[in-house]
Amino acid sequence: ESPDGRKMLEFRRNLPAYKEKNRLLAAISQNQVVIISGETGCGKTTQVPQFILESEITSVRGAVCSIICTQPRRISAMSVSERVASERGEKLGESVGYKVRLEGMKGRDTRLLFCTTGILLRRLLVDRNLKGVTHVIVDEVHERGMNEDFLLIVLKDLLSRRLELRLVLMSATLDAELFSSYFGGATVINIPGFTYPVRTHFLEDILDMTGYRLTPYNQIDDYGQEKMWKMSKQAPRKRKSQIASAVEDTLKAANFNEYSSQTRESLSCWNPDCIGFNLIEYVLCYICEKERPGAVLVFMTGWDDINSLNDKLQANRILGDPTRVLLLTCHGSMASSEQRLIFDEPESGVRKIVLATNIAETSITINDVVFVIDCGKAKETSYDALNNTSCLLPSWISKVSAQQRRGRAGRVQPGECYRLYPRCVYDAFAEYQLPEILRTPLQSLCLQIKSLRLGTIAEFLSRALQSPELLAVQNAIEYLKIIGALDHNEELTVLGQYLAMLPMEPKLGKMLILGAIFNCLEPVLTIVAGLSVRDPFLAPMDKKDLAEAAKSQFSHDYSDHLALVRAFEGWKDAERGLAGYEYCWKNFLSAPSMKVIDSLRKEFLSLLKDTGLVDCDTSICNAWGRDERLIRAVICYGLYPGISSIVQNGKSSSLKTMEDGQVFLYSNSVNARESEIPYPWLVFNEKMKVNSVFLKDSTAVSDSVLLLFGGSISQGEIDGHLKMMGGYLEFFM
Ligand code: ADP
Ligand code: MG
């Protein structure tokens, strides 16, 4: 055994999970379902699958064991498998492997496979009984992601058919009771953990301690945040307004007498709907100058925030100085080489600062963290079944999450946690976060249910851990029928079968499919990727007119989507000449968004290749890529029934939808600058209700395009057009 190996073994033996090894193994062999809870970092993810592997290898069944451990995110599946292989002194792909979308490392002798939940669901599509699999471990069940909740319904069913199959659920919180009763009183094992005490500083303490002054002005430093704030403040969302009013009331009622008058004044300027980048910068400098050594972990809401904050900090005299600070980022869409850096120790005298999403809350443990800065928010989709609208906005986290985040600071020594919100606001947080299945549209999930042949949608979903409301289920089914993915018997159509193979919103899948069939894939890939990220066109408050003018130079034919295609192509050219950043700056475009669009395009293309709709020769796929009329048709095909009619009144146009009456365009749409739109229809990507209904990302289309590529016309009309189109569309009907 090498010295490295001995050190590794020593490390493993010191993890809390190791002390429970025998108890865990006994429970797993005696029970079909076991639930393991234990604090983050205690060794659940890296150790439990290994315990099973080791005990199986030395048992009679050794040669046949096959363990699958699911992770909610691809980045954790990859990093965990790498870690486990190295703990075993092996290369990845020997006994331990991984598989995520588009990537994997798995050999003939692989017995323990880490994969994303989506990968296991896809496997169930072709292998209903998981033949040969002996153990399924579902990790991070406390996150209550849609895929995980879905997988549990399927596995529960499977367990009754395969009595020798073992299921292990792992959770970072003690909410194990819910899961236990779902599986008929399954055994729960808690791994006692240890963390050093962490001192908590709420906003009022931070202001008192550092002397930082909040003013209404210095909190609105990130215009993206402000845009979010403006919308979310007015959007009629129950939970949000509850907290918002709780904030107002509790702030008024709270007693801050023990704090200085400057602090009290500052607090009255605090804007709960905005993340104060300046404050974060200030606290980081404070830690760097005043505090003992130790890494700092900053919890932000998403990669876009992280990128903007990173840019800001790089420009800081202290924080941007590589001889003093190692500034790193950690989020789901980063490359695996980048990812490894966050585990490394910095050189002595250099302080590591990691800007992370809530991925660092439970799935990735950075060992040397001593300071945590918590913005108190996470990006979360919310769906309102009544209005049938959804949005992705930063919202307040739960108490459980806040405790998790704080706990990250106490792993190696006593730590400090800086919460950028007052104590009274924390008190108003919900105990647990609402599970995803209850707060997102169910369209993709419904397609999955049908393609796995799991029976009727409503019946299947009624067997979930917590079932979504019936109205949400009906909306999803209705939508899938309208777009032609389900027939009137609620069975998948040919289109539906293809859509089920594409892990994205059906409307985006539809565009990709049609773009592939009509050989105009290049621009369609850009549009679909663009719709999957935050709006790449920036609209800073103080330079609104300039930004709008910059956007309108990309448009000439009443389409935000085509404007994006042009902006992206321009960026691509500039990037080839290494002037991508400058190009973005000049044109009010977000450079990180452009990069993400670029990589998503590749990902989407290979997904399409998997479906068999695209051959390897992509030049053929784009033979018609310059035909804007065709692309317009593809956009219409995807966005239908998101459609409004354009009412011409003399020299100006107004908009109307069937459900909402008069609607409006967001001011940064290229169509908002046109007084007259010489088309009868406008298809749009999204609508938001903020007092009035506003449309986001729109493209004008003609009657014939709508007739052919929309859906609300009679069969007779379709037949007529079909003949005209030479049967091209037969495929979809
Ligand atoms: P849990 O799943 O209970 O949160 P893990 O099994 O992920 O815990 O982690 C156990 C320990 O192994 C932690 O102390 C963590 O820091 C360490 N660890 C995990 N992955 C890595 C890695 N890639 N590099 C270094 N240390 C790691
Ligand atoms: Mg874990």
Side-chain angles (χ1 to χ4, degrees):
E1 220 173 63
S2 65
D4 265 4
R6 229 171 297 134
K7 229 171 91 191
M8 202 58 113
L9 200 60
E10 183 65 24
F11 176 85
R12 291 187 60 197
R13 289 208 168 117
N14 281 325
L15 289 171
Y18 211 88
K19 304 189 176 67
E20 305 296 321
K21 180 174 172 177
N22 293 334
R23 195 155 71 99
L24 291 169
L25 285 172
I28 293 167
S29 79
Q30 285 154 21
N31 300 279
Q32 204 179 10
V33 183
V34 174
I35 295 147
I36 301 175
S37 72
E39 237 170 279
T40 310
C42 74
K44 294 182 300 299
T45 308
T46 54
Q47 305 309 310
V48 172
Q50 277 194 89
F51 295 161
I52 299 174
L53 180 66
E54 284 158 4
S55 88
E56 291 283 330
I57 284 176
T58 51
S59 82
V60 208
R61 302 211 301 178
V64 294
C65 93
S66 163
I67 308 160
I68 293 182
C69 179
T70 68
Q71 297 291 319
R73 289 171 275 271
R74 51 188 279 141
I75 168 179
S76 31
M78 288 154 79
S79 79
V80 166
S81 60
E82 196 177 311
R83 169 70 180 180
V84 171
S86 82
E87 283 187 9
R88 306 182 58 70
E90 292 176 5
K91 283 204 211 67
L92 251 183
E94 293 180 22
S95 72
V96 183
Y98 78 89
K99 188 157 173 23
V100 298
R101 205 164 79 195
L102 310 180
E103 262 179 84
M105 185 86 87
K106 181 173 173 282
R108 227 184 22 182
D109 298 324
T110 299
R111 294 272 168 268
L112 167 56
L113 184 73
F114 289 94
C115 66
T116 50
T117 315
I119 292 286
L120 181 57
L121 285 170
R122 273 165 170 244
R123 168 148 179 197
L124 281 159
L125 193 64
V126 290
D127 177 10
R128 283 174 73 77
N129 291 320
L130 294 182
K131 198 159 163 282
V133 176
T134 52
H135 298 76
V136 175
I137 306 173
V138 184
D139 203 359
E140 316 278 9
V141 284
H142 62 275
E143 282 189 19
R144 301 297 309 280
M146 173 114 86
N147 273 345
E148 288 72 26
D149 273 15
F150 176 44
L151 179 64
L152 289 188
I153 315 178
V154 179
L155 289 176
K156 192 176 168 184
D157 220 30
L158 181 57
L159 286 173
S160 62
R161 273 180 284 141
R162 284 206 41 204
L163 296 176
E164 76 297 353
L165 181 68
R166 292 292 184 255
L167 175 63
V168 178
L169 309 183
M170 303 203 288
S171 162
T173 59
L174 288 171
D175 189 26
E177 207 34 57
L178 181 68
F179 298 98
S180 170
S181 63
Y182 186 62
F183 285 100
T187 314
V188 179
I189 294 191
N190 178 42
I191 302 172
F194 173 79
T195 38
Y196 292 90
V198 176
R199 211 147 46 121
T200 309
H201 310 283
F202 285 100
L203 181 63
E204 54 268 36
D205 308 311
I206 299 171
L207 297 175
D208 236 26
M209 199 159 74
T210 65
Y212 184 77
R213 268 169 198 267
L214 291 174
T215 61
Y217 170 76
N218 68 13
Q219 293 181 81
I220 314 181
D221 45 357
D222 177 51
Y223 38 80
Q225 284 300 321
E226 201 205 27
K227 209 162 64 183
M228 296 274 189
W229 167 56
K230 289 235 148 138
M231 290 194 279
S232 63
K233 202 168 137 190
Q234 295 165 41
R237 293 177 57 224
K238 271 177 262 146
R239 272 185 321 134
K240 187 124 211 160
S241 63
Q242 229 175 38
I243 291 213
S245 57
V247 167
E248 261 169 47
D249 295 347
T250 43
L251 270 179
K252 262 185 231 144
N255 180 352
F256 294 112
N257 281 345
E258 55 190 292
Y259 295 91
S260 70
S261 60
Q262 184 193 317
T263 295
R264 278 183 308 211
E265 199 177 304
S266 251
L267 278 174
S268 67
C269 299
W270 180 60
N271 176 356
D273 293 309
C274 158
I275 296 170
F277 282 25
N278 290 332
L279 176 60
I280 295 176
E281 183 178 20
Y282 197 84
V283 173
L284 282 171
C285 288
Y286 176 86
I287 292 174
C288 286
E289 294 197 318
K290 296 248 163 71
E291 287 283 5
R292 65 208 148 101
V296 191
L297 178 59
V298 186
F299 282 102
M300 301 294 290
T301 69
W303 65 266
D304 41 5
D305 274 357
I306 290 180
N307 276 315
S308 335
L309 180 63
N310 194 29
D311 285 350
K312 184 179 174 73
L313 300 184
Q314 292 287 3
N316 182 286
R317 189 175 49 85
I318 300 168
L319 306 169
D321 176 356
T323 62
R324 297 178 70 174
V325 168
L326 174 64
L327 193 57
L328 299 169
T329 61
C330 173
H331 51 86
S333 42
M334 69 187 177
S336 42
S337 56
E338 257 178 288
Q339 201 188 112
R340 239 161 273 145
L341 295 176
I342 57 178
F343 294 110
D344 293 345
E345 268 183 35
E347 282 169 40
S348 83
V350 176
R351 191 186 292 270
K352 178 159 85 177
I353 298 179
V354 184
L355 312 180
T357 58
N358 57 352
I359 197 168
E361 197 175 294
T362 60
S363 32
I364 289 182
T365 301
I366 306 163
N367 272 323
D368 42 0
V369 174
V370 179
F371 305 96
V372 162
I373 298 178
D374 174 15
C375 75
K377 294 188 180 179
K379 224 169 250 173
E380 172 182 271
T381 47
S382 67
Y383 171 67
D384 176 356
L386 266 180
N387 292 314
N388 204 0
T389 51
S390 71
C391 39
L392 185 69
L393 287 173
S395 6
W396 292 109
I397 55 176
S398 65
K399 281 192 177 130
V400 169
S401 289
Q403 282 151 17
Q404 287 282 355
R405 290 180 175 190
R406 179 181 63 186
R408 317 316 279 141
R411 296 187 39 79
V412 282
Q413 52 175 286
E416 312 270 334
C417 175
Y418 296 83
R419 290 181 171 160
L420 306 180
Y421 40 92
R423 179 189 297 271
C424 55
V425 170
Y426 168 81
D427 289 338
F429 283 0
E431 205 63 39
Y432 293 101
Q433 196 208 26
L434 214 56
E436 194 179 5
I437 203 167
L438 300 187
R439 60 178 162 82
T440 38
L442 302 168
Q443 300 141 2
S444 306
L445 189 65
C446 291
L447 285 177
Q448 294 295 325
I449 294 170
K450 292 318 288 188
S451 75
L452 285 167
R453 286 183 295 265
L454 296 168
T456 57
I457 293 170
E459 190 279 330
F460 179 81
L461 285 175
S462 72
R463 287 188 274 129
L465 207 53
Q466 280 164 285
S467 304
E469 35 175 336
L470 202 57
L471 184 58
V473 179
Q474 284 164 349
N475 282 344
I477 294 173
E478 189 54 31
Y479 172 83
L480 291 171
K481 283 182 179 167
I482 289 175
I483 68 165
L486 291 181
D487 64 18
H488 57 279
N489 290 323
E490 234 179 72
E491 294 302 330
L492 284 183
T493 60
V494 178
L495 171 64
Q497 287 163 20
Y498 276 91
L499 287 177
M501 289 191 256
L502 296 168
M504 61 188 74
E505 281 182 80
K507 66 178 164 199
L508 302 181
K510 279 183 82 178
M511 286 191 223
L512 287 182
I513 291 171
L514 204 65
I517 290 176
F518 285 158
N519 292 329
C520 53
L521 206 50
E522 280 293 322
V524 173
L525 281 170
T526 305
I527 293 167
V528 171
L531 291 178
S532 315
V533 303
R534 167 168 147 182
D535 195 349
F537 291 98
L538 300 173
M541 283 304 183
D542 49 342
K543 302 198 183 76
K544 227 163 167 253
D545 286 342
L546 286 173
E548 278 164 23
K551 183 170 180 184
S552 65
Q553 42 157 353
F554 294 114
S555 101
H556 72 122
D557 210 9
Y558 311 98
S559 168
D560 291 314
H561 304 98
L562 289 171
L564 171 71
V565 171
R566 295 168 154 231
F568 178 80
E569 282 170 357
W571 174 79
K572 210 53 193 163
D573 282 342
E575 185 78 351
R576 260 179 234 120
L578 300 175
Y581 202 81
E582 208 183 326
Y583 175 86
C584 285
W585 191 78
K586 230 174 39 205
N587 293 298
F588 289 89
L589 290 161
S590 153
S593 291
M594 287 294 160
K595 288 197 179 123
V596 174
I597 289 175
D598 204 23
S599 68
L600 279 177
R601 278 167 45 93
K602 296 190 186 100
E603 200 175 320
F604 290 157
L605 181 61
S606 71
L607 281 168
L608 273 175
K609 285 181 182 163
D610 286 350
T611 65
L613 285 169
V614 174
D615 294 332
C616 294
D617 187 354
T618 33
S619 64
I620 297 174
C621 306
N622 202 42
W624 295 96
R626 297 255 153 234
D627 188 331
E628 288 193 357
R629 279 186 318 171
L630 190 55
I631 298 158
R632 211 177 275 277
V634 173
I635 295 168
C636 174
Y637 182 66
L639 299 187
Y640 187 86
I643 180 133
S644 78
S645 61
I646 301 173
V647 188
Q648 316 286 2
N649 4 325
K651 279 238 163 292
S652 72
S653 312
S654 65
L655 302 170
K656 238 187 194 157
T657 70
M658 294 242 281
E659 319 84 67
D660 311 291
Q662 186 165 23
V663 296
F664 302 90
L665 291 168
Y666 272 112
S667 63
N668 68 340
S669 166
V670 296
N671 291 324
R673 304 201 118 211
E674 307 287 349
S675 59
E676 200 182 356
I677 304 173
Y679 281 89
W681 306 100
L682 204 62
V683 287
F684 56 85
N685 179 44
E686 208 181 345
K687 65 181 181 192
M688 287 271 239
K689 208 175 165 115
V690 189
N691 299 333
S692 307
V693 172
F694 286 89
L695 310 182
K696 208 180 150 210
D697 293 330
S698 55
T699 288
V701 295
S702 64
D703 272 326
S704 57
V705 164
L706 183 68
L707 280 175
L708 275 167
F709 296 90
S712 72
I713 47 175
S714 70
Q715 194 59 44
E717 281 171 300
I718 294 176
D719 291 344
H721 282 287
L722 261 182
K723 281 196 197 102
M724 207 172 74
M725 293 287 291
Y728 242 149
L729 290 179
E730 206 147 22
F731 178 80
F732 301 102
M733 299 302 168

